[in-house]
């Protein structure tokens, strides 16, 4: 059995920054620290913080007056910030700077009274947060080609698109082409808003798909970028599964396979990948592990004042 580790996987700079912000806030202020939504979409990370006094909430109303609250890496709408200030909460913003960049684009188009088409998954925290930066009457959320067909905007109107950061690069390119065909005056970012980490992890799956007869993704069920990695493997014709941790991996499905690709989403701690490797090695004692150079090692985002 051979395991090939994806070249780029695991924590991106935005996730590493968000986790470090919670760590520093805990060290500086002690528990409880409130976090609006999961700080990042990973069960292990969230459970570890919960055990150390971090309280995750989905409603600002659930944070007591004057308490300290951190906004997750996925970002928030201006209305949430205003409500938190009204409640006298001490706020710390862990929004990934690459999500903030999309917020600024959204605000710019909205201020110019341009209809904004947001390509993303309805209901995902990032999409909900970004939506709040656009005037409601100008906002259109699309997830697929059928949604584009249903758009009720005159073709001659100037419209702009923005995207969620963790989408499938290839699927999004198709959607943008469809938008361009329908709206000749379409404007937007140079290509899309998909971040470097999402792009690199999907590229690494393309590489693995040429080497492997099965791909395992470590990632939580609600992690957008992890799910896109599994889908990419399947699209390329390689059986691909996603597991939250090693205990979810049924090693029986590896019988008859000899070349396993292993990757992890941008919010997955390395120990979860190591535990999956150990479980495979316990069953298949001849397993070897091949690693590749990681081109992202030097990327880091500055921390806010805490
Ligand atoms: S996946 Fe991309 S946008 Fe999301 S936190 Fe990581 S770097 Fe930021």
């Amino acid at each position: 059995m051979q395991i090939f580790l994806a070249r780029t996987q695991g924590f991106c700079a935005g996730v590493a920054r968000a986790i470090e912000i919670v760590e520093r806030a805990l060290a500086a202020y002690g528990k409880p620290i409130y976090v609006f939504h999961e700080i990042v979409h990973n069960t292990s990370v969230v459970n570890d913080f919960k055990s150390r006094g971090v309280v995750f909430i989905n409603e600002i109303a659930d944070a007591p007056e004057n308490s300290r609250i951190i906004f997750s890496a996925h970002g928030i709408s201006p209305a949430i910030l205003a409500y938190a200030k009204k409640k006298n909460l001490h706020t710390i913003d862990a929004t990934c700077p690459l999500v903030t960049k999309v917020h600024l684009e959204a605000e710019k188009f909205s201020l110019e009274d341009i209809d904004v088409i947001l390509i993303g998954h309805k209901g995902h925290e990032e999409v909900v947060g970004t939506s709040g930066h656009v005037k409601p009457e100008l906002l259109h959320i699309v997830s697929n080609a059928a949604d584009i067909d249903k758009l009720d905007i005159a073709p001659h109107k100037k419209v702009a698109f923005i995207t969620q950061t963790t989408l499938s690069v290839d699927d999004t390119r198709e959607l943008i082409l469809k938008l361009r065909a329908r709206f000749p005056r379409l404007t937007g970012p140079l290509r899309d808003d998909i971040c470097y980490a999402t792009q690199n992890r999907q590229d690494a799956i393309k590489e693995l798909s040429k080497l492997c007869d099965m791909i395992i993704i470590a990632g939580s069920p609600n992690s957008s970028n992890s799910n896109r990695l599994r889908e990419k493997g399947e699209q390329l014709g390689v059986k691909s599964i996603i597991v939250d941790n090693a205990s979810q991996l049924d090693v029986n499905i590896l019988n008859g396979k000899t070349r396993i690709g292993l990757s992890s989403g941008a919010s997955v701690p390395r120990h979860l990948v190591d535990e999956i490797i150990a479980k495979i090695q316990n069953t298949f004692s001849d397993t070897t592990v091949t690693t590749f150079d990681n081109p992202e090692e030097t990327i880091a985002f500055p921390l806010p004042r805490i």
Side-chain angles (χ1 to χ4, degrees), residues 120 122 141-152 182:
K122 291 170 191 159
I141 302 175
V142 300
S143 305
N144 50 46
D147 289 343
I148 294 176
D149 290 334
K150 285 186 237 151
L151 283 172
D152 185 17
R182 175 137 180 227

Side-chain angles (χ1 to χ4, degrees), residues 63-68 87-90:
E65 290 262 335
N66 293 311
S67 57
R68 201 164 298 273
K87 278 199 77 174
N88 294 321
L89 303 183
H90 303 280

